[in-house]
Amino acid sequence: MVDIWDITIPEFTGDETRKLYIYLPRSYDSAQDKRYPVLYMFDGQNVFFDSEATYGKSWGLKDYLDFNDVDMIVVAPACNQNPDNGRLREYSPFTFKDPDYGTIKGFGKDTMEWIINELKPEIDKDFRTLADREHTFIAGSSMGGLMSLYAITEYNHIFSRAGIFSPSIWTGVNKVAKMIKNADMAPDTVIYMDYGSEEFGNHKHMLQKFAMISSVLMKKKVLLNTRVVPNGTHSEASWERQVPFFMNTLFYNL
């Protein structure tokens, strides 16, 4: 079941509403004493339903979780859809410049503070969650992948595991590397990170940049599963096909 709430985030978009998608596992109503881990995801409009997805194709995550009886709650707020690069601003941990987008002032820290200090407490109050770090995860793709990488490094005391799909490290690979190097990350941190073989050409030197970030993460001695996806593209259809790999990593030895 997916509950859909209308929410506001006054810090970013005032009284304008956006959707919050909350997936509850099939056992939620029948197992009244059971508590569940929680996965927070970015770009919630693209996670569950093709009819809601920005480009008409979602990750189809509800179908996967239902079919495999995955006992996990998923909380996925929709992104900022302001045409003035609202999504880029909310989903960047730092300010960057780009020939196509100009200067993007990053409000990623504010986004994460909202998730941690406002959204997570509300979810933990309203649902039977396992609210501790060990059972709190985060995931996203593209700019949401960059934010998931930011979350697992800078907020490692909150999130123990992350799924990072096609992260937009092109926005500032040296800043990303420095962020990881300076992070205080527990050795039990689990990270799944991938990039599609067909999307390396979308930005200059992306193969080298992805290899660099993977190497920096490995040097932090975290538990990293990193992949180059054969024929993978920068699309929800491709990320959907990676869900089984991600889920195997997410729940490995948990």
Side-chain angles (χ1 to χ4, degrees):
M1 177 178 69
V2 177
D3 282 347
I4 303 178
W5 296 359
D6 285 328
I7 63 167
T8 60
I9 309 179
E11 298 94 317
F12 298 127
T13 44
D15 294 332
E16 180 182 331
T17 62
R18 69 177 78 182
K19 292 181 178 180
L20 174 69
Y21 302 82
I22 304 170
Y23 170 84
L24 299 177
R26 294 175 66 184
S27 65
Y28 190 84
D29 288 337
S30 58
Q32 291 292 321
D33 295 329
K34 187 176 178 66
R35 290 187 171 272
Y36 298 84
V38 182
L39 170 63
Y40 291 87
M41 292 190 69
F42 296 96
D43 291 307
Q45 74 281 358
N46 295 331
V47 173
F48 299 110
F49 306 114
D50 291 354
S51 59
E52 303 270 334
T54 304
Y55 300 108
K57 179 70 187 78
S58 73
W59 292 47
L61 192 59
K62 178 186 181 298
D63 293 341
Y64 177 90
L65 297 175
D66 282 350
F67 182 80
N68 291 281
D69 285 320
V70 179
D71 281 338
M72 179 175 65
I73 296 171
V74 180
V75 179
C79 71
N80 183 340
Q81 307 210 25
N82 188 307
D84 185 24
N85 295 317
R87 178 175 177 271
L88 293 181
R89 287 185 277 110
E90 281 189 17
Y91 284 3
S92 180
F94 44 76
T95 297
F96 68 94
K97 293 183 179 180
D98 181 82
D100 295 325
Y101 301 116
T103 298
I104 301 296
K105 186 175 181 180
F107 290 92
K109 177 178 174 62
D110 299 286
T111 299
M112 288 310 307
E113 293 293 327
W114 174 78
I115 290 173
I116 291 167
N117 297 319
E118 297 187 42
L119 179 59
K120 185 178 185 301
E122 186 69 21
I123 295 299
D124 291 336
K125 177 176 69 72
D126 290 349
F127 299 96
R128 300 193 311 275
T129 68
L130 293 167
D132 60 309
R133 173 184 177 273
E134 182 180 5
H135 298 95
T136 304
F137 319 133
I138 196 157
S141 60
S142 192
M143 291 298 292
L146 176 63
M147 283 295 289
S148 299
L149 180 55
Y150 172 58
I152 200 67
T153 54
E154 293 296 301
Y155 297 89
N156 195 259
H157 60 293
I158 302 293
F159 304 99
S160 64
R161 303 186 177 213
I164 301 165
F165 300 77
S166 305
S168 296
I169 55 177
W170 56 266
T171 55
V173 67
N174 292 326
K175 292 180 180 179
V176 175
K178 183 178 180 181
M179 175 183 76
I180 298 169
K181 290 176 182 177
N182 292 339
D184 183 12
M185 302 177 72
D188 66 345
T189 301
V190 174
I191 297 175
Y192 170 90
M193 185 170 72
D194 70 20
Y195 217 90
S197 64
E198 299 305 301
E199 56 179 320
F200 282 125
N202 294 350
H203 299 277
K204 289 183 178 179
H205 309 302
M206 273 307 304
L207 177 57
Q208 295 89 334
K209 291 175 181 177
F210 183 72
M212 172 189 172
I213 295 304
S214 298
S215 177
V216 174
L217 280 170
M218 291 183 70
K219 289 176 182 176
K220 296 297 288 189
K221 298 182 179 179
V222 299
L223 305 172
L224 174 66
N225 179 1
T226 186
R227 301 174 61 236
V228 173
V229 178
N231 300 314
T233 60
H234 200 82
S235 68
E236 279 71 26
S238 184
W239 298 322
E240 178 184 20
R241 291 193 292 271
Q242 310 324 309
V243 167
F245 297 94
F246 166 50
M247 288 294 167
N248 286 339
T249 301
L250 189 67
F251 284 100
Y252 188 82
N253 204 35
L254 187 66

